[in-house]
Every structure is written in C-alpha cells, then in structure tokens.
C-alpha cells in the first residue's frame, strides 16, 4: 500500500508566496490599468504566474508520484489491468480490443476465473466423494458441509420462496449463492480484489435473474396471463396508470439487486481503508493503536459476515422474484371471487 505523503514545508511555503505575489500583482494591474506602469506590472504578473504554475506543477508531480489517501482507496476498489503484489512486484494483464470493443482481461476477471476454478474443484471433489457413499458410510468433512449448504438453499431459499416447481431453479440459485460468496471472500484475502464491488459484475448477475424471472412468468401464465399481470387485475380505466407502474417494477427489482450487492461490498472496503489512513493523516501512534487498528479489525470481521449475508440476500431475493412471477395465487383468488 502506498504511503500518504504531504507536501514538504519548503515547497508549501514557496507555493503560498508565489500565489500571494500573483494575487498582488494581478490586483495592482487592474487598479492602475490607466497608468504608465501597467506594462511593467503585467510583465511581473506573468512572471509570477509562471513561477506559481511551476511550483504547482512540481507539487502536483510529488502528489501524483506518492499518491493521496483517496487515490490509494480508489485504486484498491476500482478495476485495473495490473496485478499488483507489493513489494514483490506487479505485472500487466493482456489488453484485448476486438471490433472497437475493449474485452481486456482485468484483475476482477482473473478473480472471477479463480472463484469458478475453486467451485469446480470443491464440488468436483464432493461429487466424487458421494460416489463412494453408501448406507454404512455417511459423508463427512467438506462433503457434509456442502450437503448442509445445498439443503439450506433447497429448503429455506428455493422451496420456501418459489414453491411448486422449485427444483428446476435450484442449479441457478445454488450457483449464484456460492459464486457470490467466494467472490466476496476472495476480496478479503491479501492481494485480493472484490469482483462483486464492480457494478458490471452485479448487473450481469441481476440480468440473469431478470431473464429467468420473466421466462418463468411466461411459462407459468402464458402470454395472455403475463400481459394480464401487467394490469394488476384492475379496471381497464386504470390501465394507463397500472401498466407503466408494473413495467417500471419489472426493472426496479434487478436494479435493487445490482446496487445492494455492489454498494455493500464497496462500502466495507472504503471504511476499512479510511480507518487505516486516519493514523497516517494525523501521524499519531495513539490514534493508530486506539482507533485505526481496532476499528479496522472490527469492520474486517464484520465484512466476513457481510460476505455471507449479501450472498444469501441476493439468492433469496432472486428466488422471491421468481416465485412471485410464477405464482398462481392471485389468479386463483380472482377466479374464486
């Protein structure tokens, strides 16, 4: 991590002096514009401005070289084409542009590949272990933990929110849960990057949920029933109000999924880095020992809990939206009425 370095006192004094000189000369030139000394003061003003710009450029170069707290925080959060392993070094990832579209490999892409590889290895191992399970040998260890996880998603997420026909949505719900969970946890390891802190990643996951929800609704109700759902069962005179509201509601659900996951994962990293930089900004060991380190550790532990929580919330809301879209209860109640 780059250290936060302030301007040296000598450079700061020189910048202030140059600014004061430029302001004084500028004021003199405007007050005595009609006098014979206008030309000399204008020249002096230009020279002062040149020196001030040079001082600003030198100071800016120093800040750019060392980086500020905000720059370091944003550099840690945002995606990039560099894999950095300070102080061991860094290397650039391939830049690929096809047809004017930049599809370069970034560090978030690398960590998504890493998460996918971890899941393939884990569930491949669990699948092989189940081949040897029989009535006399129960699964244990990692296999037992994965079985408990699958049962939790099946019963408490999919079945309770979707109801009948939940089985066909289990592969997607289980995959999106473990994928988001692993991505969240990889962002907490040293040299890691949180891909779920990238709005493009969360938007893509939300778009998958959106299309699955709409396809489920079409299969459950047909085209006629799907269009009737947009009127919310109201009188035709209210359709001009209800249809736009229902259409907007279709897109606010994936938008909520996108922003909720993105914002929560990004906010945690910003808070941790901000707490750490407080001690560097104030240059106080007391602040570091009593404030920065304890609170940063607390937020870090909280981020581990949030990693599980946000994976669960995204999966649970996806199952809820699918269940609401494919539910027949409203239509059955209307027919009974």
């Amino acid at each position: 991590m780059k250290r936060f370095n302030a301007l040296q006192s000598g450079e700061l004094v020189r910048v202030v002096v140059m600014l004061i000189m430029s302001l004084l000369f500028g004021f003199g030139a405007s007050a005595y514009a009609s006098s014979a000394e206008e030309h000399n003061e204008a020249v002096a003003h230009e020279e002062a401005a040149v020196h001030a710009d040079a001082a600003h450029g030198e100071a800016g170069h120093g800040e750019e070289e060392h980086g500020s707290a905000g720059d370091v925080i944003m550099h840690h959060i945002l995606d990039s084409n560099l894999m950095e392993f300070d102080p061991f070094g860094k290397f650039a990832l391939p830049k690929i542009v096809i047809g004017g579209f930049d599809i370069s490999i970034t560090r978030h892409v690398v960590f998504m590949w890493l998460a996918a590889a971890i899941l393939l290895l884990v569930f491949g191992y669990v699948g092989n272990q189940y081949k040897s399970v029989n009535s006399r040998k129960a699964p244990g260890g990692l296999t037992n933990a994965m079985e408990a996880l699958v049962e939790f998603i099946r019963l408490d997420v999919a079945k309770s929110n979707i109801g009948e026909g939940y089985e066909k949505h289990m592969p997607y719900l289980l995959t999106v849960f473990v994928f988001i969970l692993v991505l969240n946890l990889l962002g907490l390891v040293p040299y890691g990057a949180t891909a779920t802190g990238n709005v493009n990643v969360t938007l893509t996951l939300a778009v998958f949920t959106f299309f699955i929800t709409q396809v489920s609704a079409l299969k459950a109700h047909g085209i006629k029933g799907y269009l009737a759902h947009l009127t919310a069962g109201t009188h035709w005179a209210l359709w001009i109000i209800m249809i736009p509201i229902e259409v907007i509601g279709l897109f606010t659900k994936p938008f909520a999924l996108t922003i909720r996951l993105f914002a929560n994962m990004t906010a945690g990293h910003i808070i941790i880095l901000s707490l750490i930089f407080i001690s560097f900004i104030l240059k106080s060991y007391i602040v570091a020992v009593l404030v920065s380190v304890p609170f940063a550790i607390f937020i870090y532990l909280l981020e581990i809990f949030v990693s599980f929580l946000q994976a669960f919330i995204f999966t649970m809301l996806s199952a809820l939206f699918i269940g609401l879209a494919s539910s027949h209860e409203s239509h059955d109640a209307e027919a009974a009425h």
Side-chain angles (χ1 to χ4, degrees), residues 26-41:
F27 177 78
S30 61
Y32 300 98
S34 59
S35 65
E37 298 177 356
E38 177 182 3
H39 177 71
N40 294 332
E41 290 179 352

Side-chain angles (χ1 to χ4, degrees), residues 46 122 125 153 178 230 258 261 272 276:
E46 291 178 0
V122 170
Y125 169 79
I153 299 298
V178 293
L230 297 179
T258 300
L261 179 58
I272 292 174
I276 293 175

Side-chain angles (χ1 to χ4, degrees), residues 77-91:
I77 294 173
L78 297 179
D79 199 7
S80 69
N81 294 94
L82 290 176
M83 295 292 293
E84 301 184 20
F85 302 95
D86 294 333
F88 305 105
K90 59 184 177 180
F91 63 90

Side-chain angles (χ1 to χ4, degrees), residues 252-309:
T252 54
K253 293 174 183 177
F255 178 79
L257 288 176
T258 300
I259 300 302
R260 182 188 299 273
L261 179 58
F262 158 74
N264 279 279
M265 300 315 301
T266 303
H269 290 278
I270 292 177
I271 293 174
I272 292 174
L273 293 173
S274 299
L275 287 171
I276 293 175
F277 270 109
I278 288 176
S279 59
F280 288 97
I281 294 173
L282 299 179
K283 298 180 180 180
S284 171
Y285 290 104
I286 297 177
V287 174
V289 173
L290 298 181
V291 178
S292 294
V293 174
F295 280 91
I297 293 175
F298 171 75
I299 298 298
Y300 187 88
L301 296 176
L302 185 63
E303 275 290 282
I304 298 176
F305 170 72
V306 171
S307 298
F308 286 86
L309 180 63

Side-chain angles (χ1 to χ4, degrees), residues 30-307:
S30 61
Y32 300 98
S34 59
S35 65
E37 298 177 356
E38 177 182 3
H39 177 71
N40 294 332
E41 290 179 352
V43 172
H45 173 71
E46 291 178 0
E47 293 178 353
V50 170
H51 288 296
D53 290 338
H56 278 294
E58 183 180 355
H61 177 72
E63 288 182 343
E64 182 179 356
E65 180 179 358
H66 297 289
S68 64
D71 294 335
V72 175
I73 292 174
M74 296 308 297
H75 177 74
H76 177 81
I77 294 173
L78 297 179
D79 199 7
S80 69
N81 294 94
L82 290 176
M83 295 292 293
E84 301 184 20
F85 302 95
D86 294 333
F88 305 105
K90 59 184 177 180
F91 63 90
L93 296 169
K95 186 173 182 61
I96 305 172
V97 179
I98 299 178
F101 293 96
D102 188 359
I103 57 172
S104 301
I105 299 174
T106 64
R107 61 177 181 173
H108 286 170
V109 173
V110 171
F111 277 92
M112 283 192 287
W113 289 348
L114 179 60
I118 292 173
L119 293 178
L120 288 175
L121 291 175
V122 170
F123 282 94
Y125 169 79
V126 171
N128 290 330
Q129 289 295 108
Y130 263 100
K131 293 180 181 179
S132 61
V133 171
N134 52 46
S135 59
R136 296 183 179 181
K137 181 181 179 181
L142 179 62
T143 305
N144 191 27
M146 291 298 103
E147 180 181 355
L149 177 63
V150 172
E151 283 297 300
F152 168 72
I153 299 298
R154 186 178 72 86
L155 297 176
D156 295 336
V157 177
K159 188 175 182 179
S160 61
N161 289 287
I162 299 176
E164 184 180 356
Y166 73 92
E167 296 87 355
K168 58 187 176 183
H169 299 293
M170 266 295 297
Y172 170 72
L173 295 175
L174 180 61
T175 301
V176 77
F177 175 81
V178 293
F179 184 65
I180 292 175
L181 176 60
V182 174
L183 286 179
N184 292 346
L185 294 177
L186 284 177
L188 297 176
V189 300
Y191 304 116
T194 308
T196 47
N198 188 329
V199 71
N200 298 302
V201 176
T202 59
L203 176 61
T204 302
L205 295 173
V207 168
F208 277 113
T209 296
F210 173 77
F211 281 112
I212 292 174
T213 301
Q214 304 313 311
V215 171
S216 300
L218 285 171
K219 288 183 177 181
H221 307 298
I223 297 178
K224 183 178 179 180
Y226 180 84
L227 296 176
H229 177 72
L230 297 179
T231 64
T234 58
H235 189 269
W236 63 268
L238 296 176
W239 289 1
I240 192 173
I241 298 175
M242 295 307 301
I243 291 178
I245 292 176
E246 291 293 331
V247 171
I248 293 174
L250 295 178
F251 295 96
T252 54
K253 293 174 183 177
F255 178 79
L257 288 176
T258 300
I259 300 302
R260 182 188 299 273
L261 179 58
F262 158 74
N264 279 279
M265 300 315 301
T266 303
H269 290 278
I270 292 177
I271 293 174
I272 292 174
L273 293 173
S274 299
L275 287 171
I276 293 175
F277 270 109
I278 288 176
S279 59
F280 288 97
I281 294 173
L282 299 179
K283 298 180 180 180
S284 171
Y285 290 104
I286 297 177
V287 174
V289 173
L290 298 181
V291 178
S292 294
V293 174
F295 280 91
I297 293 175
F298 171 75
I299 298 298
Y300 187 88
L301 296 176
L302 185 63
E303 275 290 282
I304 298 176
F305 170 72
V306 171
S307 298

